[in-house]
């Protein structure tokens, strides 16, 4: 059997991880697993998890490692993730990255792609980012309704100026260190996210192919 394409997208908030993850997962027919989406759905549904996570998310802080690791372990254990997945928004701390290695033991290797974008560009993007109030999809620039379900586009409650700066601060202190955690692996690649989405998508596909080939056979890659 071909190796599973287990892709991890790293990058600061606003780098375009979610958009690129969704696009890539759709073209390859593998699930996109976004911990931010899972939490927002829980908030929307008013579950216990959602009620506990909401205040933390609205402050731009991180939900606890224990909760997040439990969510991801359960999700990666489902059948649809066996032939591959795109993970977006996890890990965000070194303990989460260590736990992910444990969860992935015995499975095909992770391909790790870091999308980098200068901070002033991130602030600009986050201030103008819109999502659908009903389904949570990213809104297209300039549109007022969701192109997926027709719902109203709104600003994320954690995309206002003060919270954006806090999220970038937390990214720099807690999440950036995991780039170094992965950087020395043969399956690590970095790409420039400060380009048009189609260009980033092409760079992502090329990086994945190169990382996969560096690591033997990979679904869709050359030998
Ligand atoms: P995102 O959509 O990835 O920007 O995530 C939105 C918010 O959900 C974050 O600002 C955190 O509060 C929370 N969150 C998402 N993923 C994680 C994670 N892996 N660890 C801790 N908190 C997370």
């Amino acid at each position: 059997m071909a190796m599973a394409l287990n892709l991890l997208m790293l990058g600061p908030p606003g780098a375009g991880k979610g958009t690129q993850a969704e696009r890539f997962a759709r073209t390859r027919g593998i699930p996109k697993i976004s911990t931010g989406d899972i939490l927002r759905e829980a908030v929307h549904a008013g579950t216990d998890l959602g009620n506990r996570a909401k205040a933390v998310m609205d402050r731009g802080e991180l939900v606890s490692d224990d909760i997040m690791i439990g969510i991801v372990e359960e999700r990666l254990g489902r059948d649809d993730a066996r032939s591959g997945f795109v993970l977006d928004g996890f890990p965000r701390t070194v303990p989460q990255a260590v736990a992910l290695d444990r969860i992935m033991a015995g499975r095909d290797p992770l391909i790790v792609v870091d999308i980098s974008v200068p901070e002033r560009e991130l602030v600009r993007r986050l201030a103008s980012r819109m999502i659908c109030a009903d389904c949570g999809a990213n809104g297209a620039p300039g549109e007022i309704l969701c192109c997926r379900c027709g719902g109203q586009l709104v600003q994320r409650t954690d995309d206002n100026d003060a919270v954006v700066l806090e999220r970038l601060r937390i990214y720099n202190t807690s999440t950036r260190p995991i780039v170094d955690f992965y950087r020395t692996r043969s399956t690590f690649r970095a790409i420039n996210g400060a380009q048009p989405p189609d260009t980033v998508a092409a760079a992502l596909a090329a990086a994945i192919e190169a990382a996969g080939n560096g690591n033997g056979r990979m679904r869709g890659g050359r030998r």
Side-chain angles (χ1 to χ4, degrees):
M1 200 175 111
M3 285 176 83
L5 205 169
N6 301 329
L7 175 63
L8 195 65
M9 307 274 285
L10 300 182
K17 294 188 299 295
T19 307
Q20 294 295 337
E22 172 136 6
R23 193 167 157 161
F24 186 80
R26 202 177 336 112
T27 46
R28 299 294 174 112
I30 53 180
K32 171 203 168 197
I33 301 173
S34 156
T35 48
D37 286 352
I38 292 171
L39 292 172
R40 277 185 292 278
E41 277 159 26
V43 171
H44 199 69
T47 63
D48 264 5
L49 166 67
N51 294 337
R52 270 183 293 154
K54 180 166 179 12
V56 178
M57 293 170 76
D58 282 346
R59 289 196 299 271
E61 294 169 8
L62 296 181
V63 175
S64 79
D65 287 340
D66 284 356
I67 291 179
M68 297 314 301
I69 291 164
I71 290 173
V72 168
E73 181 152 28
E74 186 278 328
R75 183 64 189 85
L76 292 182
R78 292 197 214 157
D79 280 350
D80 68 343
R82 286 280 137 200
S83 56
F85 54 80
V86 183
L87 196 50
D88 155 39
F90 184 98
R92 258 186 164 87
T93 64
V94 170
Q96 291 181 14
V98 170
L100 183 60
D101 277 346
R102 173 183 60 73
I103 293 167
M104 292 301 293
R107 296 175 66 156
D108 289 325
L110 285 170
I111 290 183
V112 183
V113 178
D114 182 46
I115 305 186
S116 59
V117 173
E119 189 149 313
R120 58 178 189 289
E121 169 70 6
L122 297 172
V123 174
R124 195 187 63 75
R125 287 188 190 180
L126 291 166
S128 60
R129 169 161 91 172
M130 304 289 272
I131 61 160
C132 176
D134 292 336
C135 77
N138 285 312
E143 295 294 324
I144 51 171
L145 295 179
C146 175
C147 60
R148 195 203 275 169
C149 76
Q152 192 77 38
L153 296 181
V154 296
Q155 190 172 43
R156 267 171 56 167
T157 52
D158 58 354
D159 274 350
N160 66 65
D161 289 354
V163 179
V164 161
L165 293 179
E166 179 64 2
R167 288 165 65 213
L168 290 172
R169 191 186 69 74
I170 291 181
Y171 171 79
N172 283 321
T173 53
S174 303
T175 306
R176 195 185 287 283
I178 66 176
V179 179
D180 291 323
F181 180 89
Y182 290 115
R183 194 183 295 282
T184 54
R185 299 192 185 181
S186 64
T187 54
F188 175 89
R189 293 291 183 281
I191 61 173
N192 172 12
Q195 311 180 83
D198 286 349
T199 314
V200 177
L204 177 65
I208 291 164
E209 165 115 350
N213 286 336
N215 200 63
R217 285 174 308 114
M218 186 67 58
R219 181 174 288 231
R222 265 176 270 118
R223 227 168 252 266

